[in-house]
Amino acid sequence: MIEIHQLNKSYGTNEVLKAITLRFEEGKVYGIVGENGAGKTTLFRCIAEMEAYKGTITASKTPLKDYLGLLLTEPFFFSKITGREYLQLLCNARSVEETNFDERNIFDLPLGQYASTYSTGMKKKLAILGLLLQGNTYFIFDEPFNGVDIQSNMIITEIILKLKALNKTVLISSHIFSTLKDTCDEIHLLKNGQFEEAVQKEQFHELEAAMKDVSIGNKIDQLGLK
Amino acid sequence: MYFQLQFKLLNRRFKELGFEPWFAYVLILLTLMTVVHQSFERYSFAPYVFVALYMLLQVNLGNQKRIDFLKTVFTSRKFRRIRLLENALMALPFMIEFIVYQKWIALASLGLTTILLALINVKISHQKTLPTPFSKRPFEFSVGFRSAFLLLIACYILMGIGLYVDNFNLGMFSILALFVVCMGFYTQPEEEFYVWIHHHSTSTFLFSKVKTALMNASLLSAPLVLILLGFYPMNGGYIALFVLITFVFMIAVVLAKYAAYPNEIQLIQVFFLGISIPAPFLLLLFIPLFYNQATNRLKSYLK
């Protein structure tokens, strides 16, 4: 469980998150959606304790960051580190003894190659694999499906469902609505630094329609395509 | 135009560090002159230390992303001229010192290194995976070993030459150069994610970083040290003391990196490390200082 109470975050005079209060339960998958700049990444960074903030964030396991697997939108890799070494580094960081990386390499990544030479999708898969090997309790996946091929997207969806079954708490941000529909129990809509509404699974199709309406409206007609 | 831009960037950097550029240049010049004078007076192999220091600066200048960028922007002729000129500019203060103190062999080594390092990068392949003995404890040494592989080989070749011409000092220099290259692995701050992922306390994190640095540096330098001991057993005490001092420097560099984190090592830390070269006992003051600064800097990433 992660509980956020009256979370405020500002950069100078720019208020990015405003009095956010929210509770993420165990064994549930939460989708966080919002337009670019709505504050999703800032929220994730606050939960990960990478940012100073006002308010409180508590968790059933503390310190929260030591049980958190954080997938960044664009994971960074050193120029001359192999996939296998990256996994080793992540395991070492959490004192996890893992020797058989090849067996657990379900994405068939070329672990002997430099990670920096991987494609965008491969990098994302490597980053996800690393977080899974760490045996985390909480997961934040910021755009886990971006740039990943369709087969791996299916695997990632199944992984998220498995994490849910294992009673983990998972937060996902994605711009691909269908992926959220397949994995989430609840979707929270973040707008201007505040959560506007929480939508349960049975109302996802209404949310999708509403989002389409707001985002697209008559913009396509405005293009005047002939 | 390229160098004017670099000059502007350098001045901007000094300003970011809180120094007026003219003051930073005077400070660097005075520090260099003092350190050179003191070192040349005390140690016969000191000129080679500066060649090693220059090589360390070159490791940064020769990083592949930067090289790729230059290659993309400039024609290959201009690219080589830029690389040669920037290496020469970097070497200039050292060259002047060598001429003033009439250290001709060091001057020739520096000249040769300047030319070679400007050309070598052009040919290094960075796609093929180079195996390292550091895979169990990535990342500084596995990345650094691959980036500076040719420099490490050069250190071993230097030892070979030193033994062949029966020059003990050159052998010592090769060990020193290797340690300087290893210290170079700790000059760039990593992305905050790579600190944040650790579940250790700040002190355990720093201790683990220092331990890894010393273990891996020992692994790389052990053959050189043992060979030199084998050829010059009568200088065993001197070699042991020398290796001990380089170990202490290694500790200081690792801590200095995190004392400035998430920024690059600051001028003040470089200054402290610089004045410790002729007076290594000063590190006994600076290491606790760096440790305290590093602990404060890492607090926001580690619990």
Side-chain angles (χ1 to χ4, degrees):
Chain A
M1 177 272 299
I2 300 173
E3 194 159 5
I4 302 171
H5 184 68
Q6 288 294 311
L7 173 67
N8 286 282
K9 173 70 193 173
S10 306
Y11 294 106
T13 53
N14 182 22
E15 248 187 316
V16 183
L17 299 174
K18 299 166 193 166
I20 286 179
T21 297
L22 204 59
R23 188 182 161 99
F24 300 115
E25 301 289 347
E26 286 164 8
K28 279 197 164 186
V29 181
Y30 296 86
I32 310 289
V33 295
E35 291 174 358
N36 294 332
K40 299 186 294 288
T41 302
T42 305
L43 172 68
F44 292 156
R45 287 177 62 86
C46 288
I47 296 173
E49 295 168 35
M50 282 176 143
E51 296 281 350
Y53 55 82
K54 283 181 187 163
T56 54
I57 299 176
T58 51
S60 43
K61 282 192 177 179
T62 52
L64 167 58
K65 71 170 275 295
D66 291 353
Y67 299 94
L68 177 65
L70 174 66
L71 176 75
L72 301 167
T73 320
E74 286 179 29
F76 170 84
F77 295 95
F78 298 106
S79 62
K80 288 188 171 65
I81 196 165
T82 66
R84 185 173 285 102
E85 286 166 352
Y86 175 80
L87 297 177
Q88 185 72 60
L89 176 64
L90 260 69
C91 287
N92 289 352
R94 296 284 170 88
S95 304
V96 173
E97 292 286 332
E98 176 64 58
T99 48
N100 203 346
F101 294 128
D102 291 319
E103 193 183 302
R104 301 188 70 180
N105 177 16
I106 57 163
F107 295 113
D108 294 324
L109 295 165
L111 294 181
Q113 276 182 32
Y114 294 144
S116 56
T117 64
Y118 285 16
S119 68
T120 311
M122 285 159 80
K123 281 180 181 167
K124 197 145 270 187
K125 288 188 267 185
L126 179 67
I128 291 173
L129 188 58
L131 301 181
L132 296 172
L133 292 177
Q134 286 185 321
N136 291 298
T137 306
Y138 312 108
F139 291 88
I140 292 177
F141 295 131
D142 201 352
E143 298 293 346
F145 302 100
N146 266 17
V148 179
D149 57 59
I150 195 155
Q151 293 87 345
S152 302
N153 260 339
M154 288 191 281
I155 297 177
I156 294 171
T157 301
E158 288 307 310
I159 288 171
I160 292 169
L161 295 175
K162 179 72 179 173
L163 291 174
K164 174 181 151 77
L166 290 169
N167 224 23
K168 314 277 187 185
T169 306
V170 185
L171 274 63
I172 309 172
S173 155
S174 176
H175 289 110
I176 309 165
F177 196 84
S178 61
T179 57
L180 295 176
K181 214 159 56 176
D182 293 342
T183 51
C184 295
D185 296 294
E186 275 180 42
I187 293 178
H188 293 263
L189 188 61
L190 190 62
K191 198 172 181 185
N192 298 325
Q194 285 176 311
F195 278 112
E196 283 218 324
E197 57 178 324
V199 182
Q200 301 301 314
K201 205 168 185 70
E202 50 276 13
Q203 292 143 356
F204 282 177
H205 60 281
E206 290 167 29
L207 175 68
E208 190 177 12
M211 282 174 75
K212 258 188 190 170
D213 194 38
V214 171
S215 316
I216 304 171
N218 66 343
K219 284 176 187 163
I220 305 299
D221 295 336
Q222 272 180 277
L223 272 174
L225 294 174
K226 286 177 185 169
Chain B
M1 184 65 193
Y2 170 77
F3 286 100
Q4 278 176 348
L5 192 63
Q6 291 296 324
F7 183 61
K8 269 188 188 170
L9 287 173
L10 189 63
N11 286 347
R12 199 174 293 161
R13 202 148 191 187
F14 285 135
K15 280 184 180 168
E16 281 169 6
L17 294 172
F19 292 97
E20 277 301 316
W22 69 265
F23 178 73
Y25 291 120
V26 171
L27 186 68
I28 291 170
L29 198 69
L30 286 177
T31 309
L32 189 68
M33 280 166 63
T34 314
V35 169
V36 164
H37 179 73
Q38 290 292 324
S39 311
F40 283 12
E41 289 287 313
R42 288 171 190 223
Y43 311 112
S44 58
F45 58 84
Y48 302 108
V49 175
F50 291 96
V51 179
L53 196 64
Y54 169 74
M55 283 160 72
L56 175 66
L57 294 170
Q58 283 302 323
V59 171
N60 281 333
L61 266 188
N63 87 66
Q64 200 60 48
K65 271 188 186 167
R66 198 177 153 279
I67 296 295
D68 288 346
F69 171 74
L70 289 177
K71 275 187 188 173
T72 321
V73 176
F74 297 103
T75 61
S76 51
R77 192 182 151 86
K78 265 196 176 170
F79 164 74
R80 282 180 198 219
R81 271 171 51 189
I82 285 174
R83 288 288 290 132
L84 268 173
L85 195 58
E86 64 184 6
N87 281 10
L89 280 173
M90 190 76 86
L92 194 64
F94 299 104
M95 283 182 168
I96 293 169
E97 298 288 354
F98 292 158
I99 291 167
V100 170
Y101 288 90
Q102 299 181 345
K103 305 289 180 188
W104 307 119
I105 298 175
L107 182 68
S109 316
L110 192 69
L112 196 66
T113 315
T114 302
I115 296 165
L116 279 178
L117 288 178
L119 302 174
I120 277 172
N121 266 313
V122 182
K123 291 170 185 169
I124 295 174
S125 160
H126 57 104
Q127 297 296 324
K128 205 173 173 192
T129 307
L130 189 68
T132 83
F134 311 112
S135 294
K136 284 285 166 195
R137 290 234 150 247
F139 69 98
E140 292 92 346
F141 268 76
S142 37
V143 173
F145 181 87
R146 287 169 178 139
S147 305
F149 181 65
L150 291 177
L151 289 180
L152 294 170
I153 296 278
C155 295
Y156 274 76
I157 292 172
L158 268 183
M159 174 60 85
I161 296 170
L163 296 177
Y164 182 72
V165 297
D166 193 20
N167 185 334
F168 174 72
N169 282 335
L170 194 54
M172 290 288 277
F173 167 69
S174 71
I175 297 172
L176 178 73
L178 187 129
F179 270 99
V180 172
V181 171
C182 293
M183 287 172 203
F185 303 164
Y186 290 85
T187 52
Q188 292 292 318
E190 62 266 44
E191 289 275 317
E192 59 182 352
F193 176 76
Y194 289 94
V195 173
W196 174 86
I197 47 168
H198 289 86
H199 71 152
H200 309 119
S201 64
T202 48
S203 53
T204 312
F205 174 83
L206 288 171
F207 179 74
S208 153
K209 287 284 176 188
V210 167
K211 188 177 142 194
T212 306
L214 293 182
M215 274 170 54
N216 291 347
S218 305
L219 190 67
L220 277 181
S221 62
L224 294 182
V225 175
L226 292 175
I227 289 169
L228 200 64
L229 269 174
F231 276 81
Y232 300 96
M234 70 297 274
N235 290 341
Y238 186 53
I239 295 170
L241 180 68
F242 180 76
V243 171
L244 181 73
I245 292 171
T246 51
F247 267 43
V248 179
F249 262 101
M250 190 89 207
I251 296 170
V253 169
V254 175
L255 294 177
K257 173 187 169 180
Y258 291 104
Y261 193 82
N263 304 317
E264 286 181 27
I265 292 184
Q266 311 272 292
L267 206 59
I268 190 75
Q269 281 124 10
V270 175
F271 175 73
F272 286 159
L273 289 170
I275 59 170
S276 302
I277 295 174
F281 61 88
L282 287 175
L283 289 175
L284 297 176
L285 291 175
F286 296 141
I287 285 178
L289 176 74
F290 291 160
Y291 176 81
N292 283 333
Q293 288 175 334
T295 307
N296 283 330
R297 290 281 187 159
L298 293 172
K299 259 183 199 163
S300 47
Y301 303 96
L302 302 166
K303 293 295 154 193

